[in-house]
Amino acid sequence: MFAKALLGFLLLFALFATIERRCGLHRQRLFRRGWTTDAIYYATGNLIGQGAAIAIPALLALSVLKWAVSPGLQAWVAAQPVALQLPAVVFFAELGYYWAHWLLHHVPWLWRFHAVHHSSEQLDWLSTVRVHPVDQVFTKTFQLVPIFLLGFSVETLGLYALFSSAIAFFIHANLRWRFGWFNWLLVTPEFHHWHHADEAQAHNKNLAAQCSLVDRLFGSFYLPRRRPRLYGIPESVPQAYWQQLIYPFTRHQRHARP
Ligand SMILES: [Zn+2]
Ligand SMILES: [Zn+2]
C-alpha cells in the first residue's frame, strides 16, 4: 500500500511539475512554502484519511439511514448505462458536497477546520491534500451518503473515484489555461483558484468541487476575467502538519470569516 501511494505521488509530481513549469499562472518555487506539510497530508490522507472518509458515510448509509434506501430505485439506477450514471453521480455528489462546504464557510466552529485548507498562500496540485481530517470526513459524508443511497453501480463508483481524484489535483494546479464555457459546467483551475483568493468579493464563492453548475444554481458563481493575485486567509494558521491538526482546537484570534 505504501509503495503504491509513493508511486502515485511520484507520477503526479513528475506530471504536474512538468506542466506547471511550462504553463504556470504564477511564478513560484517547485518546493514552495508548506510543500513538506502537504506531502505529509498526502501520505496520511492516502494511508488513513481516505479509508475513514469513505467508511464513515458508507456505515451511515447502511445503518442509520437504512430507512431511506429504496431497493426498487437502487436497482433502476444501477441498471442505467454508465454513460448516464456518471454525470448523475457527479451532480448528486456535488449537491451534498456543496452544502457541506457552505456550512464549513458559514459556521464559525466548522470554519476553524476548513481554514487549514485555505491557509495555502501558493497553490499547486499538492495543495489539494491540505485538508483537516475532520473536514475530510465531514465533506465526504455529505458527498457520498446520497450516492450510496441512490445505489449507483460499482463500475460507476469506481470511475467516479478516479474522476474525483484527478479533478481535485487538477483544479488546484498552478495553470494559466482558460476554459471558456467549460467553467459553467465543471470546476477548473481558473474557477477554483478564485475560491482560494484572498479578496473580499471572492469569499464564500465557487463552493463546488466538481460540477460548477451547482454554483450557478445557488448563486455563488464568481469568475471575473482577471486572475487572482493573492491566496490564503488573513488569520495565521501554523505551517507544521501537527500544529495544523490541533489548530481548530486551540484558542486563536477570531477572524472576520465566516
Ligand atoms: Zn472552502
Ligand atoms: Zn481548494
Side-chain angles (χ1 to χ4, degrees):
M1 192 165 178
F2 177 76
K4 216 172 133 190
L6 182 65
L7 181 65
F9 181 84
L10 293 175
L11 284 173
L12 286 167
F13 178 80
L15 174 70
F16 281 105
T18 309
I19 57 171
E20 286 179 332
R21 195 181 150 87
R22 292 175 69 95
C23 312
L25 174 63
H26 303 286
R27 282 176 70 89
Q28 58 195 40
R29 286 186 295 125
L30 182 59
F31 297 104
R32 43 132 183 104
R33 188 165 179 252
W35 193 92
T36 314
T37 296
D38 292 348
I40 300 171
Y41 274 103
Y42 184 94
T44 54
N46 250 287
L47 301 176
I48 310 157
Q50 281 217 6
I54 292 170
I56 292 169
L59 279 174
L60 262 175
L62 289 171
S63 54
V64 185
L65 294 166
K66 221 163 87 180
W67 57 270
V69 171
S70 158
L73 176 69
Q74 288 194 331
W76 182 79
V77 170
Q80 301 306 312
V82 173
L84 270 184
Q85 286 189 59
L86 200 56
V89 80
V90 171
F91 180 74
F92 285 109
E94 188 64 76
L95 283 182
Y97 178 87
Y98 180 94
W99 289 109
H101 198 181
W102 189 94
L103 289 169
L104 287 165
H105 274 257
H106 291 86
V107 177
W109 68 269
L110 284 174
W111 168 254
R112 291 185 195 181
F113 292 98
H114 192 54
V116 170
H117 182 62
H118 281 268
S119 66
S120 299
E121 288 168 0
Q122 289 178 313
L123 293 182
D124 63 15
W125 68 279
L126 192 56
S127 321
T128 320
V129 294
R130 184 181 292 199
V131 179
H132 194 282
V134 171
D135 180 343
Q136 195 178 18
V137 170
F138 184 76
T139 48
K140 279 274 185 290
T141 301
F142 275 69
Q143 195 175 19
L144 298 183
V145 163
I147 66 172
F148 287 155
L149 292 179
L150 282 167
F152 291 96
S153 68
V154 175
E155 191 186 1
T156 306
L157 293 181
L159 287 172
Y160 175 68
L162 272 179
F163 171 75
S164 296
S165 301
I167 196 168
F169 287 119
F170 181 62
I171 64 175
H172 288 87
N174 175 30
L175 293 172
R176 62 173 177 266
W177 298 340
R178 297 279 192 181
F179 292 87
W181 61 267
F182 204 70
N183 287 306
W184 292 54
L185 194 62
L186 287 181
V187 175
T188 64
E190 192 180 354
F191 174 91
H192 191 65
H193 276 224
W194 275 111
H195 181 66
H196 283 266
D198 188 15
E199 293 186 31
Q201 309 95 297
H203 287 174
N204 307 331
K205 297 289 195 295
N206 298 4
L207 295 167
Q210 299 173 354
C211 178
S212 51
L213 196 61
V214 174
D215 274 293
R216 295 289 308 173
L217 282 178
F218 297 123
S220 47
F221 188 97
Y222 182 73
L223 194 64
R225 181 78 189 151
R226 65 192 175 86
R227 310 304 281 264
R229 284 192 304 118
L230 293 173
Y231 301 109
I233 46 176
E235 67 193 79
S236 56
V237 176
Q239 282 295 311
Y241 175 74
W242 287 108
Q243 287 177 321
Q244 291 194 351
L245 287 193
I246 58 167
Y247 174 75
F249 306 102
T250 56
R251 286 169 65 85
H252 54 88
Q253 81 279 19
R254 278 185 66 88
H255 171 50
R257 292 179 74 181

mmCIF file with all atom_site columns, all heavy atoms in Angstrom, residues 97 101 104-105 111 114 117-118 192 195-196 205-207 257, ligand 1:
data_model
loop_
_atom_site.group_PDB
_atom_site.id
_atom_site.type_symbol
_atom_site.label_atom_id
_atom_site.label_alt_id
_atom_site.label_comp_id
_atom_site.label_asym_id
_atom_site.label_entity_id
_atom_site.label_seq_id
_atom_site.pdbx_PDB_ins_code
_atom_site.Cartn_x
_atom_site.Cartn_y
_atom_site.Cartn_z
_atom_site.occupancy
_atom_site.B_iso_or_equiv
_atom_site.pdbx_formal_charge
_atom_site.auth_seq_id
_atom_site.auth_comp_id
_atom_site.auth_asym_id
_atom_site.auth_atom_id
_atom_site.pdbx_PDB_model_num
ATOM   1   N  N   . TYR A 1 97  ? -21.884 17.780 -1.447 1.00 0.00 ? 97  TYR A N   1
ATOM   2   C  CA  . TYR A 1 97  ? -20.617 18.461 -1.137 1.00 0.00 ? 97  TYR A CA  1
ATOM   3   C  C   . TYR A 1 97  ? -20.826 19.963 -0.982 1.00 0.00 ? 97  TYR A C   1
ATOM   4   O  O   . TYR A 1 97  ? -20.274 20.597 -0.077 1.00 0.00 ? 97  TYR A O   1
ATOM   5   C  CB  . TYR A 1 97  ? -19.573 18.186 -2.245 1.00 0.00 ? 97  TYR A CB  1
ATOM   6   C  CG  . TYR A 1 97  ? -18.286 18.911 -1.978 1.00 0.00 ? 97  TYR A CG  1
ATOM   7   C  CD1 . TYR A 1 97  ? -17.295 18.334 -1.191 1.00 0.00 ? 97  TYR A CD1 1
ATOM   8   C  CD2 . TYR A 1 97  ? -18.066 20.195 -2.471 1.00 0.00 ? 97  TYR A CD2 1
ATOM   9   C  CE1 . TYR A 1 97  ? -16.134 19.019 -0.899 1.00 0.00 ? 97  TYR A CE1 1
ATOM   10  C  CE2 . TYR A 1 97  ? -16.911 20.893 -2.182 1.00 0.00 ? 97  TYR A CE2 1
ATOM   11  C  CZ  . TYR A 1 97  ? -15.951 20.296 -1.399 1.00 0.00 ? 97  TYR A CZ  1
ATOM   12  O  OH  . TYR A 1 97  ? -14.804 20.992 -1.095 1.00 0.00 ? 97  TYR A OH  1
ATOM   13  N  N   . HIS A 1 101 ? -19.720 22.163 2.200  1.00 0.00 ? 101 HIS A N   1
ATOM   14  C  CA  . HIS A 1 101 ? -18.725 23.221 2.023  1.00 0.00 ? 101 HIS A CA  1
ATOM   15  C  C   . HIS A 1 101 ? -19.306 24.578 2.449  1.00 0.00 ? 101 HIS A C   1
ATOM   16  O  O   . HIS A 1 101 ? -18.623 25.404 3.058  1.00 0.00 ? 101 HIS A O   1
ATOM   17  C  CB  . HIS A 1 101 ? -18.280 23.239 0.555  1.00 0.00 ? 101 HIS A CB  1
ATOM   18  C  CG  . HIS A 1 101 ? -16.994 23.953 0.299  1.00 0.00 ? 101 HIS A CG  1
ATOM   19  N  ND1 . HIS A 1 101 ? -16.461 24.083 -0.947 1.00 0.00 ? 101 HIS A ND1 1
ATOM   20  C  CD2 . HIS A 1 101 ? -16.132 24.608 1.137  1.00 0.00 ? 101 HIS A CD2 1
ATOM   21  C  CE1 . HIS A 1 101 ? -15.335 24.769 -0.873 1.00 0.00 ? 101 HIS A CE1 1
ATOM   22  N  NE2 . HIS A 1 101 ? -15.113 25.107 0.376  1.00 0.00 ? 101 HIS A NE2 1
ATOM   23  N  N   . LEU A 1 104 ? -19.130 24.703 6.132  1.00 0.00 ? 104 LEU A N   1
ATOM   24  C  CA  . LEU A 1 104 ? -17.731 24.916 6.569  1.00 0.00 ? 104 LEU A CA  1
ATOM   25  C  C   . LEU A 1 104 ? -17.346 26.396 6.482  1.00 0.00 ? 104 LEU A C   1
ATOM   26  O  O   . LEU A 1 104 ? -16.520 26.876 7.250  1.00 0.00 ? 104 LEU A O   1
ATOM   27  C  CB  . LEU A 1 104 ? -16.772 24.093 5.700  1.00 0.00 ? 104 LEU A CB  1
ATOM   28  C  CG  . LEU A 1 104 ? -16.762 22.575 5.943  1.00 0.00 ? 104 LEU A CG  1
ATOM   29  C  CD1 . LEU A 1 104 ? -16.074 21.856 4.800  1.00 0.00 ? 104 LEU A CD1 1
ATOM   30  C  CD2 . LEU A 1 104 ? -16.081 22.228 7.261  1.00 0.00 ? 104 LEU A CD2 1
ATOM   31  N  N   . HIS A 1 105 ? -17.955 27.087 5.525  1.00 0.00 ? 105 HIS A N   1
ATOM   32  C  CA  . HIS A 1 105 ? -17.632 28.511 5.357  1.00 0.00 ? 105 HIS A CA  1
ATOM   33  C  C   . HIS A 1 105 ? -18.482 29.430 6.222  1.00 0.00 ? 105 HIS A C   1
ATOM   34  O  O   . HIS A 1 105 ? -18.119 30.569 6.441  1.00 0.00 ? 105 HIS A O   1
ATOM   35  C  CB  . HIS A 1 105 ? -17.807 28.917 3.876  1.00 0.00 ? 105 HIS A CB  1
ATOM   36  C  CG  . HIS A 1 105 ? -16.583 28.653 3.069  1.00 0.00 ? 105 HIS A CG  1
ATOM   37  N  ND1 . HIS A 1 105 ? -15.714 29.657 2.688  1.00 0.00 ? 105 HIS A ND1 1
ATOM   38  C  CD2 . HIS A 1 105 ? -16.060 27.502 2.608  1.00 0.00 ? 105 HIS A CD2 1
ATOM   39  C  CE1 . HIS A 1 105 ? -14.720 29.123 2.005  1.00 0.00 ? 105 HIS A CE1 1
ATOM   40  N  NE2 . HIS A 1 105 ? -14.895 27.820 1.932  1.00 0.00 ? 105 HIS A NE2 1
ATOM   41  N  N   . TRP A 1 111 ? -15.574 26.422 10.368 1.00 0.00 ? 111 TRP A N   1
ATOM   42  C  CA  . TRP A 1 111 ? -14.574 27.183 9.604  1.00 0.00 ? 111 TRP A CA  1
ATOM   43  C  C   . TRP A 1 111 ? -13.159 26.945 10.142 1.00 0.00 ? 111 TRP A C   1
ATOM   44  O  O   . TRP A 1 111 ? -12.206 26.860 9.382  1.00 0.00 ? 111 TRP A O   1
ATOM   45  C  CB  . TRP A 1 111 ? -14.899 28.681 9.615  1.00 0.00 ? 111 TRP A CB  1
ATOM   46  C  CG  . TRP A 1 111 ? -13.742 29.488 9.100  1.00 0.00 ? 111 TRP A CG  1
ATOM   47  C  CD1 . TRP A 1 111 ? -12.884 30.252 9.829  1.00 0.00 ? 111 TRP A CD1 1
ATOM   48  C  CD2 . TRP A 1 111 ? -13.272 29.569 7.737  1.00 0.00 ? 111 TRP A CD2 1
ATOM   49  N  NE1 . TRP A 1 111 ? -11.924 30.802 9.019  1.00 0.00 ? 111 TRP A NE1 1
ATOM   50  C  CE2 . TRP A 1 111 ? -12.137 30.401 7.725  1.00 0.00 ? 111 TRP A CE2 1
ATOM   51  C  CE3 . TRP A 1 111 ? -13.714 29.001 6.532  1.00 0.00 ? 111 TRP A CE3 1
ATOM   52  C  CZ2 . TRP A 1 111 ? -11.428 30.692 6.556  1.00 0.00 ? 111 TRP A CZ2 1
ATOM   53  C  CZ3 . TRP A 1 111 ? -13.000 29.288 5.366  1.00 0.00 ? 111 TRP A CZ3 1
ATOM   54  C  CH2 . TRP A 1 111 ? -11.883 30.124 5.390  1.00 0.00 ? 111 TRP A CH2 1
ATOM   55  N  N   . HIS A 1 114 ? -11.842 24.130 8.311  1.00 0.00 ? 114 HIS A N   1
ATOM   56  C  CA  . HIS A 1 114 ? -11.687 24.383 6.876  1.00 0.00 ? 114 HIS A CA  1
ATOM   57  C  C   . HIS A 1 114 ? -10.613 25.443 6.607  1.00 0.00 ? 114 HIS A C   1
ATOM   58  O  O   . HIS A 1 114 ? -10.046 25.480 5.507  1.00 0.00 ? 114 HIS A O   1
ATOM   59  C  CB  . HIS A 1 114 ? -13.039 24.804 6.293  1.00 0.00 ? 114 HIS A CB  1
ATOM   60  C  CG  . HIS A 1 114 ? -13.062 24.803 4.795  1.00 0.00 ? 114 HIS A CG  1
ATOM   61  N  ND1 . HIS A 1 114 ? -12.702 23.705 4.032  1.00 0.00 ? 114 HIS A ND1 1
ATOM   62  C  CD2 . HIS A 1 114 ? -13.391 25.780 3.901  1.00 0.00 ? 114 HIS A CD2 1
ATOM   63  C  CE1 . HIS A 1 114 ? -12.816 24.010 2.756  1.00 0.00 ? 114 HIS A CE1 1
ATOM   64  N  NE2 . HIS A 1 114 ? -13.220 25.265 2.637  1.00 0.00 ? 114 HIS A NE2 1
ATOM   65  N  N   . HIS A 1 117 ? -7.424  24.263 4.973  1.00 0.00 ? 117 HIS A N   1
ATOM   66  C  CA  . HIS A 1 117 ? -7.340  24.127 3.506  1.00 0.00 ? 117 HIS A CA  1
ATOM   67  C  C   . HIS A 1 117 ? -7.084  25.482 2.840  1.00 0.00 ? 117 HIS A C   1
ATOM   68  O  O   . HIS A 1 117 ? -6.407  25.563 1.820  1.00 0.00 ? 117 HIS A O   1
ATOM   69  C  CB  . HIS A 1 117 ? -8.613  23.502 2.946  1.00 0.00 ? 117 HIS A CB  1
ATOM   70  C  CG  . HIS A 1 117 ? -8.569  23.278 1.451  1.00 0.00 ? 117 HIS A CG  1
ATOM   71  N  ND1 . HIS A 1 117 ? -7.642  22.443 0.860  1.00 0.00 ? 117 HIS A ND1 1
ATOM   72  C  CD2 . HIS A 1 117 ? -9.309  23.796 0.433  1.00 0.00 ? 117 HIS A CD2 1
ATOM   73  C  CE1 . HIS A 1 117 ? -7.813  22.462 -0.457 1.00 0.00 ? 117 HIS A CE1 1
ATOM   74  N  NE2 . HIS A 1 117 ? -8.819  23.275 -0.753 1.00 0.00 ? 117 HIS A NE2 1
ATOM   75  N  N   . HIS A 1 118 ? -7.634  26.527 3.457  1.00 0.00 ? 118 HIS A N   1
ATOM   76  C  CA  . HIS A 1 118 ? -7.491  27.868 2.865  1.00 0.00 ? 118 HIS A CA  1
ATOM   77  C  C   . HIS A 1 118 ? -6.198  28.559 3.294  1.00 0.00 ? 118 HIS A C   1
ATOM   78  O  O   . HIS A 1 118 ? -5.987  29.715 2.938  1.00 0.00 ? 118 HIS A O   1
ATOM   79  C  CB  . HIS A 1 118 ? -8.700  28.731 3.226  1.00 0.00 ? 118 HIS A CB  1
ATOM   80  C  CG  . HIS A 1 118 ? -9.891  28.431 2.375  1.00 0.00 ? 118 HIS A CG  1
ATOM   81  N  ND1 . HIS A 1 118 ? -10.165 29.110 1.216  1.00 0.00 ? 118 HIS A ND1 1
ATOM   82  C  CD2 . HIS A 1 118 ? -10.866 27.489 2.496  1.00 0.00 ? 118 HIS A CD2 1
ATOM   83  C  CE1 . HIS A 1 118 ? -11.265 28.615 0.665  1.00 0.00 ? 118 HIS A CE1 1
ATOM   84  N  NE2 . HIS A 1 118 ? -11.717 27.634 1.430  1.00 0.00 ? 118 HIS A NE2 1
ATOM   85  N  N   . HIS A 1 192 ? -11.563 27.361 -9.526 1.00 0.00 ? 192 HIS A N   1
ATOM   86  C  CA  . HIS A 1 192 ? -11.290 27.041 -8.116 1.00 0.00 ? 192 HIS A CA  1
ATOM   87  C  C   . HIS A 1 192 ? -10.241 27.968 -7.496 1.00 0.00 ? 192 HIS A C   1
ATOM   88  O  O   . HIS A 1 192 ? -10.271 28.204 -6.296 1.00 0.00 ? 192 HIS A O   1
ATOM   89  C  CB  . HIS A 1 192 ? -10.869 25.575 -7.955 1.00 0.00 ? 192 HIS A CB  1
ATOM   90  C  CG  . HIS A 1 192 ? -10.834 25.140 -6.515 1.00 0.00 ? 192 HIS A CG  1
ATOM   91  N  ND1 . HIS A 1 192 ? -11.968 25.068 -5.725 1.00 0.00 ? 192 HIS A ND1 1
ATOM   92  C  CD2 . HIS A 1 192 ? -9.798  24.798 -5.697 1.00 0.00 ? 192 HIS A CD2 1
ATOM   93  C  CE1 . HIS A 1 192 ? -11.643 24.689 -4.501 1.00 0.00 ? 192 HIS A CE1 1
ATOM   94  N  NE2 . HIS A 1 192 ? -10.311 24.519 -4.452 1.00 0.00 ? 192 HIS A NE2 1
ATOM   95  N  N   . HIS A 1 195 ? -11.788 30.520 -5.518 1.00 0.00 ? 195 HIS A N   1
ATOM   96  C  CA  . HIS A 1 195 ? -12.277 30.085 -4.199 1.00 0.00 ? 195 HIS A CA  1
ATOM   97  C  C   . HIS A 1 195 ? -11.201 30.308 -3.133 1.00 0.00 ? 195 HIS A C   1
ATOM   98  O  O   . HIS A 1 195 ? -11.515 30.531 -1.968 1.00 0.00 ? 195 HIS A O   1
ATOM   99  C  CB  . HIS A 1 195 ? -12.700 28.608 -4.245 1.00 0.00 ? 195 HIS A CB  1
ATOM   100 C  CG  . HIS A 1 195 ? -13.233 28.126 -2.931 1.00 0.00 ? 195 HIS A CG  1
ATOM   101 N  ND1 . HIS A 1 195 ? -14.405 28.608 -2.386 1.00 0.00 ? 195 HIS A ND1 1
ATOM   102 C  CD2 . HIS A 1 195 ? -12.738 27.247 -2.021 1.00 0.00 ? 195 HIS A CD2 1
ATOM   103 C  CE1 . HIS A 1 195 ? -14.614 28.037 -1.209 1.00 0.00 ? 195 HIS A CE1 1
ATOM   104 N  NE2 . HIS A 1 195 ? -13.612 27.213 -0.958 1.00 0.00 ? 195 HIS A NE2 1
ATOM   105 N  N   . HIS A 1 196 ? -9.946  30.246 -3.545 1.00 0.00 ? 196 HIS A N   1
ATOM   106 C  CA  . HIS A 1 196 ? -8.835  30.414 -2.595 1.00 0.00 ? 196 HIS A CA  1
ATOM   107 C  C   . HIS A 1 196 ? -8.336  31.851 -2.536 1.00 0.00 ? 196 HIS A C   1
ATOM   108 O  O   . HIS A 1 196 ? -7.412  32.148 -1.770 1.00 0.00 ? 196 HIS A O   1
ATOM   109 C  CB  . HIS A 1 196 ? -7.670  29.501 -2.991 1.00 0.00 ? 196 HIS A CB  1
ATOM   110 C  CG  . HIS A 1 196 ? -7.882  28.069 -2.622 1.00 0.00 ? 196 HIS A CG  1
ATOM   111 N  ND1 . HIS A 1 196 ? -7.417  27.519 -1.438 1.00 0.00 ? 196 HIS A ND1 1
ATOM   112 C  CD2 . HIS A 1 196 ? -8.517  27.058 -3.265 1.00 0.00 ? 196 HIS A CD2 1
ATOM   113 C  CE1 . HIS A 1 196 ? -7.749  26.246 -1.394 1.00 0.00 ? 196 HIS A CE1 1
ATOM   114 N  NE2 . HIS A 1 196 ? -8.410  25.933 -2.472 1.00 0.00 ? 196 HIS A NE2 1
ATOM   115 N  N   . LYS A 1 205 ? -17.421 32.072 -2.364 1.00 0.00 ? 205 LYS A N   1
ATOM   116 C  CA  . LYS A 1 205 ? -17.880 31.847 -3.739 1.00 0.00 ? 205 LYS A CA  1
ATOM   117 C  C   . LYS A 1 205 ? -17.239 30.553 -4.283 1.00 0.00 ? 205 LYS A C   1
ATOM   118 O  O   . LYS A 1 205 ? -16.280 30.046 -3.733 1.00 0.00 ? 205 LYS A O   1
ATOM   119 C  CB  . LYS A 1 205 ? -17.467 33.021 -4.642 1.00 0.00 ? 205 LYS A CB  1
ATOM   120 C  CG  . LYS A 1 205 ? -18.113 34.348 -4.237 1.00 0.00 ? 205 LYS A CG  1
ATOM   121 C  CD  . LYS A 1 205 ? -19.596 34.343 -4.555 1.00 0.00 ? 205 LYS A CD  1
ATOM   122 C  CE  . LYS A 1 205 ? -20.230 35.710 -4.522 1.00 0.00 ? 205 LYS A CE  1
ATOM   123 N  NZ  . LYS A 1 205 ? -20.221 36.323 -3.199 1.00 0.00 ? 205 LYS A NZ  1
ATOM   124 N  N   . ASN A 1 206 ? -17.791 30.059 -5.377 1.00 0.00 ? 206 ASN A N   1
ATOM   125 C  CA  . ASN A 1 206 ? -17.252 28.878 -6.066 1.00 0.00 ? 206 ASN A CA  1
ATOM   126 C  C   . ASN A 1 206 ? -17.052 27.707 -5.096 1.00 0.00 ? 206 ASN A C   1
ATOM   127 O  O   . ASN A 1 206 ? -15.947 27.183 -4.941 1.00 0.00 ? 206 ASN A O   1
ATOM   128 C  CB  . ASN A 1 206 ? -15.927 29.226 -6.770 1.00 0.00 ? 206 ASN A CB  1
ATOM   129 C  CG  . ASN A 1 206 ? -16.114 30.276 -7.841 1.00 0.00 ? 206 ASN A CG  1
ATOM   130 O  OD1 . ASN A 1 206 ? -17.207 30.805 -8.028 1.00 0.00 ? 206 ASN A OD1 1
ATOM   131 N  ND2 . ASN A 1 206 ? -15.050 30.594 -8.551 1.00 0.00 ? 206 ASN A ND2 1
ATOM   132 N  N   . LEU A 1 207 ? -18.145 27.295 -4.481 1.00 0.00 ? 207 LEU A N   1
ATOM   133 C  CA  . LEU A 1 207 ? -18.055 26.243 -3.456 1.00 0.00 ? 207 LEU A CA  1
ATOM   134 C  C   . LEU A 1 207 ? -18.015 24.830 -4.042 1.00 0.00 ? 207 LEU A C   1
ATOM   135 O  O   . LEU A 1 207 ? -17.651 23.892 -3.347 1.00 0.00 ? 207 LEU A O   1
ATOM   136 C  CB  . LEU A 1 207 ? -19.247 26.367 -2.492 1.00 0.00 ? 207 LEU A CB  1
ATOM   137 C  CG  . LEU A 1 207 ? -19.272 27.652 -1.647 1.00 0.00 ? 207 LEU A CG  1
ATOM   138 C  CD1 . LEU A 1 207 ? -20.630 27.838 -0.983 1.00 0.00 ? 207 LEU A CD1 1
ATOM   139 C  CD2 . LEU A 1 207 ? -18.177 27.636 -0.586 1.00 0.00 ? 207 LEU A CD2 1
ATOM   140 N  N   . ARG A 1 257 ? -13.929 36.066 8.894  1.00 0.00 ? 257 ARG A N   1
ATOM   141 C  CA  . ARG A 1 257 ? -14.601 34.980 8.178  1.00 0.00 ? 257 ARG A CA  1
ATOM   142 C  C   . ARG A 1 257 ? -14.953 33.906 9.166  1.00 0.00 ? 257 ARG A C   1
ATOM   143 O  O   . ARG A 1 257 ? -14.120 33.543 9.983  1.00 0.00 ? 257 ARG A O   1
ATOM   144 C  CB  . ARG A 1 257 ? -13.702 34.411 7.084  1.00 0.00 ? 257 ARG A CB  1
ATOM   145 C  CG  . ARG A 1 257 ? -13.479 35.391 5.965  1.00 0.00 ? 257 ARG A CG  1
ATOM   146 C  CD  . ARG A 1 257 ? -12.575 34.801 4.919  1.00 0.00 ? 257 ARG A CD  1
ATOM   147 N  NE  . ARG A 1 257 ? -13.286 33.808 4.137  1.00 0.00 ? 257 ARG A NE  1
ATOM   148 C  CZ  . ARG A 1 257 ? -12.693 33.123 3.144  1.00 0.00 ? 257 ARG A CZ  1
ATOM   149 N  NH1 . ARG A 1 257 ? -11.435 33.347 2.861  1.00 0.00 ? 257 ARG A NH1 1
ATOM   150 N  NH2 . ARG A 1 257 ? -13.353 32.246 2.447  1.00 0.00 ? 257 ARG A NH2 1
HETATM 151 ZN ZN  . ZN  B 2 .   ? -13.553 26.490 1.019  1.00 0.00 ? 1   ZN  B ZN  1
#
